[in-house]
Every structure is written in structure tokens, then in C-alpha cells.
């Protein structure tokens, strides 16, 4: 594949002045591809000669003088080093003669070969050109007028004020001007009339809405998850953050920093955490039977793609699998960056509207007032708390963490991932009603009770402990069977719970096309 690729590359390239294309491609390229490329190709496994890099290859050649060229001496065995190709069949006398003649004639390398050594225009720092000689309203117009004059063309007549305002309005806010706005512009005969319209439109909230769409496309923004279930997702906070950032003229460096690592900034605000929604716009697959880790990695690769295209302005998918010959991002660099964004949890975070923040602050304030009042009425509250903790610590029931086996057939494609502390992390699509069967091997100890603990985890929505959108969950039934020839259902003497959430109607997105009342 590598040899064929090299020959195909050479065949697709241009011709240097004074050298027939067939000379190099017919005589020299096949020798290099067959005898040299395997060791001195893109990876440079065994030497400094890179046949995909013109400058590096020519370092071993003195054009016009084959006898002093390292390339010629090595293929003839005349140099101090081992004869090349090392471990391979020596070049024939005819092939050596072809290389000698090619070097003697100047070793001209066809245009295009070694393009990796010529910086792509996209990676060359721009330099401010000399201002065009023709006078114009602004420097850009000066260059336009200079080119028009070169082509023998004359500029179009200035647009009428109403037309000019319409163009400006559509460009900046995506909406045509209102009649009153046109009338005001026509009536303004001052030299600042146009600039005032520019400032008015830049101050419009519609400016961020119009121009934010371009960035939201690059950020893969969508209001649903994609894939088979394509569930609704609540990420409009991020959309609004982008719009507000443009309207508030947030500096571009801050615009990027907050989207890539806003949650890691000192004393991060809610807006800065919301900005990291840029990394969470990947599609989510929660179809039954999927492997959550597989699609977590799919999301990671998608984020890398977005960082490359939206932030760096380059496609970097090639580096996911290998170092590409002409791309600036190497395979190792790709996974160095990958390691940074892979070092986090996948859960959603809680954010609040202004009204919700006010209500939350009120609840926190009221809670603090109640606690302070209780401390005043019970000066010994700390001692009471310590005695209660001791009584719980000394309870007679001896609990043992069990590690049951999950019956995969019963899960409907859900995943229950065992963690080090013995808990099970539920992953995959969270259905509104679900039953899982767990099997426990016989225990020599007498089992008198079961305790279910619902734990928080950073990979669950809002940090858990449930898998619902707001981090909650509900247990409707817990059943124990003794497995014998005929399973026997164990009767529970009593049951208690630490918390009982109020009933709440399920959201409309969970409609199951029935008339049943559905609550959580």
C-alpha cells in the first residue's frame, strides 16, 4: 500500500521546468518507492532520508555531482556506511546508472513532491500588505478599487440610503429595517448617519441571534439527542450563552476558554459552567443493548472533531488513527489533547433561570433561619447529635455489602456497572418503568433484612442519585424470591423509607399513547 501510494502521489504531481515528467516518474520514482520507502518513508524508521519530503531528501544529494552525493555513494556501496537498501536486494547496474544520470543532470525534483516541507498557506502568519495607492473610504475599498482599475472596470454607483440600510440590517441582525427606521435614516443628513445605524444594529439583541447561528452550527448544537430515540435535551441555556456573549462583545479568547474549560476557572460562575455545553453537544445513543462506554468514546471523538474544526480551523480526524503526512496535528498530539477532555464525568449540571435563582436563594435563607432558631432553642444540639450518631453506630443489625450477579436478559439492554465499593452504576437509556433481576448465591449467614441504598454519582444526571432528567428516581416495588425447584416468594414483615417524594405527573415527552395516569 505504501509503495503504491507513493507512485500514485508522484503520478499526480506537476513537472519541473526543463525536466520531462516521464524521466523522473518512469526512471527514479519506481526505484525510490520499491527500494527506499519502506525504511525512509513517513516514519523515518532507519534514517534521515524522507522520500515524502523534498528538502530532507535533497540534503543527501549534491545536484550535478553524483560522486559526492550520499544517496549515490550508499546505493553503490562506496560510502563508509552499509550499502543500501539495507537487508534488501542491491540496485542493478542500470538502476544505479539512472540515479547517477538524474543527479548529474541536476536532480530536479518535480513540482509538488515534498509539499510537506512547504508550509501550507493556512499556516503562514499573515502580513499586512502595503496600502493600495488609490484613495478610498477604507483600506479594503482601496484594494478593491485598485483591482477594478487593473481590470478596466469602474465601481458601481453608491446604493440609495434605503437600500444601504436594508443590506446593513440583513447582514447584522438578519431582519429588514422597519419603516420608521428607514425614515429616521433618510432624515439623518449628518456625516455620522451610517455609523449610527451600525451601532444601533450591533446593540440589538437580534445581532447575537443572527451571528450566533454560525457558531452554534460549528458547536453541533441541537435540541434533541439524535440516534434512534432522539429524545429532547434541555441545552438552550448554552444557546442563550452564545447569543449573549456576542451581544456583550465577549473577547474571543474568553469566548473559547469558557467553552473549553469554564468549569475549571477559579470561582466559576453558572454562565461559565453553562459555556462548557460546547463539549456536551454530541449525539447520545441510549438505544436498548448499546454499550455506554462505546458511545461515550464516540462522543469524545466528536468533541475532538469539534475542537479541531471550530477552534483550530482544521480537520484532525486523520490523527485519531495515524499521523497524516501533511496535517499539522500528529497522532501523539491528538491523544494528548484527548486525555484532557477524557478526564471528566458525563453528567449534566443544574442551572437555574433568574426566577429560579431568586426562589432558591429564598429557600436557602429560610432554611438558615430555621436552623439558627433551633440552635437557640436547643443549646445542646451538638451533644444530642453526637449521642444519636453513637446510637446508630451501635445498632445490633450487622449489614454486609453483597455483590449480586445481574441477569442481563432481564435488563432490557440496560447496563449495571459494578463499582469498587460494591454498588452498581445504572447506565443506558432510562425507561419510565423498568425491572431488573439480581441473583445472590446462597449465604451461610441468616439473612433477616435487606437495605437498599440510593447513592449519588457524578455520571448520573445532576449528580443523581436517580437517572431522571432532574437526577431523581423512584422505587415502586422490591421483591425477593428463594430459588428452588419452584421459586418461592419471600414475604416481607415490614418496610420503611428515609424519603418519600411527592407524586408528580410525568412530562408530556413520556406519553405512552395510553389513557393511564402516569406519575413519578
Amino acid at each position: 500500500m505504501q509503495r503504491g501510494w507513493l507512485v500514485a502521489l508522484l503520478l499526480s504531481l506537476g513537472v519541473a521546468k526543463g525536466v520531462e515528467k516521464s524521466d523522473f516518474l518512469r526512471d527514479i520514482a519506481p526505484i525510490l518507492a520499491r527500494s527506499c520507502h519502506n525504511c525512509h518513508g513517513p516514519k523515518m524508521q532507519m534514517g534521515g532520508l524522507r522520500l515524502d519530503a523534498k528538502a530532507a531528501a535533497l540534503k543527501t544529494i549534491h545536484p550535478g555531482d553524483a560522486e559526492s552525493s550520499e544517496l549515490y555513494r550508499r546505493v553503490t556501496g562506496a560510502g563508509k556506511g552499509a550499502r543500501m537498501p539495507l537487508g534488501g536486494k542491491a540496485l542493478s547496474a542500470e538502476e544505479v546508472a539512472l540515479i547517477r544520470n538524474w543527479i548529474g543532470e541536476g536532480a530536479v525534483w518535480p513540482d509538488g513532491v515534498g509539499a510537506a516541507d512547504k508550509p501550507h498557506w493556512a499556516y503562514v502568519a499573515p502580513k499586512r500588505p502595503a496600502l493600495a495607492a488609490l484613495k478610498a473610504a477604507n483600506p479594503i475599498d482601496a484594494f478593491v478599487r485598485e483591482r477594478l482599475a487593473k481590470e478596466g472596470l469602474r465601481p458601481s454607483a453608491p446604493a440609495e440610503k434605503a437600500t444601504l440600510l436594508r443590506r446593513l440590517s440583513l447582514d447584522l441582525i438578519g431582519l429588514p429595517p422597519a419603516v420608521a427606521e428607514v425614515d429616521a435614516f433618510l432624515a439623518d443628513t449628518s456625516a455620522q448617519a451610517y455609523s449610527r445605524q451600525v451601532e444601533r444594529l450591533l446593540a440589538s439583541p437580534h445581532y447575537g441571534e443572527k451571528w450566533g447561528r454560525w457558531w452554534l452550527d460549528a458547536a453541533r448544537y441541537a435540541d434533541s439527542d439524535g440516534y434512534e430515540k432522539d429524545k429532547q435535551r434541555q441545552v438552550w441555556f448554552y444557546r442563550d450563552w452564545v447569543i449573549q456573549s456576542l451581544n456583550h462583545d465577549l473577547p474571543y479568547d474568553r469566548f473559547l476558554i469558557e467553552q473549553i474549560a469554564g468549569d475549571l476557572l477559579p470561582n466559576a460562575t453558572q454562565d461559565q459552567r453553562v459555556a462548557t455545553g460546547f463539549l456536551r453537544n454530541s449525539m447520545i445513543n441510549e438505544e436498548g443493548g448499546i454499550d455506554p462506554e462505546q458511545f461515550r468514546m464516540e462522543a469524545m471523538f466528536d468533541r475532538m472533531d469539534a475542537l479541531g474544526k471550530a477552534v483550530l480551523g482544521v480537520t484532525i480526524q486523520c490523527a485519531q488513527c495515524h499521523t497524516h503526512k501533511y496535517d499539522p496535528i500528529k497522532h501523539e498530539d491528538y491523544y494528548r489533547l484527548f486525555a484532557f477532555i477524557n478526564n471528566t464525568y458525563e453528567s449534566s449540571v443544574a442551572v437555574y433561570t433568574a426566577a429560579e435563582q431568586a426562589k432558591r436563594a429564598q429557600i436557602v435563607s429560610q432554611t438558615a433561619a430555621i436552623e439558627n432558631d433551633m440552635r437557640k432553642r436547643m443549646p445542646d444540639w451538638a451533644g444530642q447529635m453526637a449521642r444519636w450518631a453513637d446510637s446508630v453506630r451501635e445498632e445490633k443489625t450487622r449489614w454486609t455489602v453483597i455483590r449480586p450477579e445481574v441477569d442481563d436478559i432481564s435488563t432490557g439492554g440496560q447496563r449495571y456497572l459494578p463499582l469498587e465499593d460494591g454498588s452498581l452504576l445504572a447506565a443506558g437509556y432510562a425507561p419510565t418503568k423498568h425491572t431488573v433481576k439480581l441473583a445472590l448465591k446462597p449465604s451461610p449467614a441468616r439473612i433477616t433484612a435487606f437495605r437498599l441504598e440510593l447513592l449519588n454519582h457524578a455520571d448520573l444526571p445532576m449528580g443523581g442519585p436517580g437517572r431522571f432528567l432532574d437526577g431523581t428516581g423512584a422505587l415502586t416495588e422490591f421483591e425477593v424470591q428463594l430459588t428452588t425447584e419452584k421459586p418461592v416468594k419471600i414475604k416481607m414483615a415490614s418496610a420503611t423509607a428515609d424519603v418519600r417524594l411527592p407524586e408528580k405527573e410525568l412530562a408530556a415527552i413520556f406519553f405512552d399513547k395510553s389513557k393511564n395516569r402516569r406519575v413519578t
Side-chain angles (χ1 to χ4, degrees), residues 83-324:
R83 181 170 181 165
M84 294 293 164
L86 188 64
K89 183 180 179 181
L91 269 59
S92 67
E94 181 183 359
E95 290 172 328
V96 171
L98 288 171
I99 290 178
R100 178 188 176 89
N101 292 339
W102 173 64
I103 295 175
E105 294 169 358
V108 178
W109 200 287
D111 291 342
V113 177
D117 299 302
K118 298 178 181 179
H120 189 276
W121 63 265
Y123 309 121
V124 177
K127 296 181 180 179
R128 184 179 295 275
L131 189 62
L134 296 178
K135 294 182 178 181
N138 61 63
I140 295 178
D141 284 346
F143 288 103
V144 172
R145 288 178 179 272
E146 183 180 56
R147 183 58 185 268
L148 289 175
K150 181 179 179 181
E151 300 294 334
L153 300 174
R154 297 172 59 187
S156 300
E160 297 180 354
K161 290 186 71 174
T163 301
L164 189 62
L165 181 61
R166 178 179 174 83
R167 292 173 181 172
L168 179 65
S169 186
L170 289 174
D171 277 348
L172 291 184
I173 67 172
L175 299 169
V179 174
E181 293 168 343
V182 175
D183 292 341
F185 183 44
L186 293 176
D188 188 349
T189 57
S190 68
Q192 293 77 34
Y194 182 78
S195 61
R196 272 199 282 264
Q197 293 300 315
V198 172
E199 294 299 326
R200 176 183 67 82
L201 292 170
L202 289 176
S204 168
H206 299 308
Y207 169 76
E209 295 168 357
K210 163 71 161 57
W211 286 96
R213 292 172 57 194
W214 295 96
W215 182 259
L216 290 171
D217 282 346
R220 308 99 68 224
Y221 176 83
D223 289 309
S224 64
D225 286 344
Y227 287 113
E228 177 257 354
K229 297 200 179 299
D230 199 27
K231 302 197 324 299
Q232 287 181 325
R233 57 168 65 171
Q234 301 296 320
V235 288
W236 55 267
F237 267 94
Y238 170 72
R239 176 200 65 196
D240 288 0
W241 180 87
V242 171
I243 293 171
Q244 291 164 11
S245 296
L246 291 171
N247 284 334
H248 296 158
D249 201 19
L250 184 68
Y252 184 62
D253 60 341
R254 299 298 304 179
F255 184 71
L256 294 183
I257 289 171
E258 294 187 10
Q259 290 184 84
I260 297 172
D263 58 322
L264 300 179
L265 295 175
N267 303 314
T269 65
Q270 174 174 289
D271 281 348
Q272 289 171 334
R273 291 194 299 271
V274 166
T276 59
F278 171 78
L279 297 174
R280 296 304 309 278
N281 285 322
S282 307
M283 292 199 299
I284 298 174
N285 190 351
E286 293 186 332
E287 183 181 359
I290 65 104
D291 185 343
E293 178 62 15
Q294 174 193 346
F295 283 92
R296 189 186 75 82
M297 296 307 296
E298 295 285 353
M300 300 304 299
F301 292 134
D302 177 69
R303 292 166 198 174
M304 289 292 294
D305 182 39
L307 285 171
K309 292 177 179 176
V311 179
L312 302 177
V314 295
T315 56
I316 62 175
Q317 299 101 309
C318 293
Q320 178 182 331
C321 298
H322 59 85
T323 295
H324 194 278

